[in-house]
Amino acid sequence: VTEEVPVAELFDRVVARHEHAAQEKQVTIEVRLPDEEMLIVADPRRMEQALQNLASNALRHTPAGGRVTLGAEQHGRRTWLRVADTGRGIPAEHLPHIFDRFYKADPSRAETGSGLGLSIVKAIVERHGGTVSAQSVPGVETTFEIELSR
């Protein structure tokens, strides 16, 4: 069931869930929200699940001293939700496959999970009529972007 959801509330819940782990890892979590009143039309539980998955991945791949940033912007009837990190990045040859079920960019790293997280994010976003993409400059920044229409 979709409803108007304040982006600030979604981001607050993501930060609350991950702030302890971020402090332990010495990673900063920032929120960049140009408008505290920004709304999206979404299933709040599912969209939070998508953002939690992205934030969890970002935190997992960001070293001490790094930063995870939750950001959003809205222009007309389009909204972009972003989760960026200053982790090791994703090599270009892996980017086209990261949303595939069970895909792991580095299969030798067993602790990175089942390979389902990003495919779940993609399914949630597509159910909302949106798209999800990733850009990465290895060693600099990786950004996951959810684009939604109102």
Side-chain angles (χ1 to χ4, degrees):
V1 178
T2 61
E3 59 188 72
E4 286 196 332
V5 181
V7 174
E9 284 182 19
L10 288 172
F11 284 1
D12 286 348
R13 288 199 291 273
V14 171
V15 170
R17 180 170 171 193
H18 296 286
E19 64 188 343
H20 181 72
Q23 288 170 352
E24 283 187 346
K25 269 192 92 169
Q26 298 176 324
V27 170
T28 303
I29 300 179
E30 290 182 356
V31 172
R32 294 190 184 151
L33 194 56
D35 178 2
E36 287 291 322
E37 305 300 314
M38 187 181 295
L39 299 171
I40 59 172
V41 175
D43 174 332
R45 289 182 37 239
R46 293 289 154 244
M47 194 54 63
E48 180 184 343
Q49 180 185 7
L51 291 169
Q52 293 286 10
N53 282 357
L54 293 176
S56 179
N57 283 349
L59 188 56
R60 184 180 312 124
H61 296 293
T62 302
R67 182 180 62 252
V68 172
T69 305
L70 305 175
E73 93 185 67
Q74 216 163 38
H75 297 290
R77 300 183 55 80
R78 305 199 76 63
T79 303
W80 293 268
L81 305 176
R82 296 184 185 98
V83 178
D85 68 72
T86 58
R88 66 179 171 265
I90 303 166
E93 66 269 20
H94 294 292
L95 279 173
H97 308 288
I98 60 172
F99 294 102
D100 297 348
R101 287 177 55 131
F102 306 116
Y103 186 80
K104 293 184 184 184
D106 184 354
S108 67
R109 294 182 62 89
E111 81 277 4
T112 59
S114 64
L116 286 171
L118 292 177
S119 66
I120 291 169
V121 170
K122 182 179 181 197
I124 291 169
V125 172
E126 288 179 349
R127 252 184 260 133
H128 283 82
T131 60
V132 61
S133 61
Q135 301 84 37
S136 186
V137 178
V140 179
E141 183 174 73
T142 298
T143 303
F144 285 84
E145 182 175 82
I146 296 170
E147 183 176 348
L148 302 169
S149 296
R150 291 177 57 90

